[in-house]
Amino acid sequence: FTAALPGHAVSVLRTRGDAGLCEQAAWVGGAEVVLSPHGAHLLNALWMEPHAALLEVMPWGMWGYPGYRTLFTRAGLSYHRLN
């Protein structure tokens, strides 16, 4: 990934159900962009810096669900939903 984005680090993380709060916050705390499927784990995006970009991928059966747009835009994130 880094060859496609010179000067930027790219990390691919898989979450675990037993990770502590501090570990989860560290996963996204310094991220400029997070791309993730919809789920409760996205609440960790509240640890992201203001104006960081969050791209939430919604599964087909949930395209009508409003998602977390209001929460994350009020937190100052650049929120984008992908159907």
Side-chain angles (χ1 to χ4, degrees):
F1 292 116
T2 55
L5 300 166
H8 297 279
V10 176
S11 298
V12 177
L13 300 172
R14 292 185 183 160
T15 59
R16 299 186 330 268
D18 64 345
L21 178 62
C22 292
E23 183 179 0
Q24 293 177 46
W27 290 338
V28 297
E32 295 178 26
V33 177
V34 169
L35 169 66
S36 177
H38 171 75
H41 64 280
L42 280 178
L43 292 177
N44 289 314
L46 294 173
W47 299 109
M48 295 172 69
E49 295 291 327
H51 306 293
L54 174 64
L55 297 99
E56 179 182 18
V57 180
M58 296 298 285
W60 176 80
M62 295 184 70
W63 286 1
Y65 177 71
Y68 298 127
R69 176 180 310 279
T70 302
L71 175 66
F72 292 132
T73 54
R74 288 187 180 175
L77 298 178
S78 176
Y79 173 86
H80 305 275
R81 179 179 161 151
L82 307 172
N83 287 337

